[in-house]
Amino acid sequence: FGVSVNNVYRSFPSSQISTGNTKAKGLSRHQGGFAVDFNGVKNLSTEQLKALNELTKEHGLAPLMNQAADPPHFDTDPTKHGYNSLKESADENKAHYDNIQKGKAEPVKFDHKQYEEYKNKKEDEDKK
């Protein structure tokens, strides 16, 4: 596709970024750790964008309802993943980020086994 990950976690509001894309009003799901932006989405054909949307949905992310307003953005709701609110997930992620910056914590490593377990559980739920 020629698409690459651009922005996953952000410790500051989107209002501080110079871009023509949609700005979050208040906290963003990027601050909560539940959004990703992809470079190159605007260059995809209709077929390629459809395939990317299907792939991201399979992995729990979805584009904005009005995808044309912010084509690189895909996200999910943190309350569907154990948090009580977006603020709670943003506070936790900001605290962890600050501890990484201070050398008091390590970045979270991707756990393939845990991901496979999650994926299998999700597939089982979808079959029901």
Side-chain angles (χ1 to χ4, degrees), residues 23-43:
K23 304 283 188 187
K25 293 173 177 57
L27 285 175
S28 76
R29 290 185 176 175
H30 285 288
Q31 289 172 268
F34 286 89
V36 62
D37 287 343
F38 294 105
N39 283 330
V41 173
K42 290 180 182 180
N43 301 325

Side-chain angles (χ1 to χ4, degrees), residues 73-98:
H73 182 88
F74 294 78
D75 70 19
T76 190
D77 185 347
T79 65
K80 294 180 180 175
H81 298 277
Y83 290 94
N84 293 315
S85 66
L86 174 57
K87 182 177 182 339
E88 181 182 59
S89 68
D91 288 348
E92 180 179 303
N93 279 289
K94 178 71 167 96
H96 186 71
Y97 175 80
D98 289 345

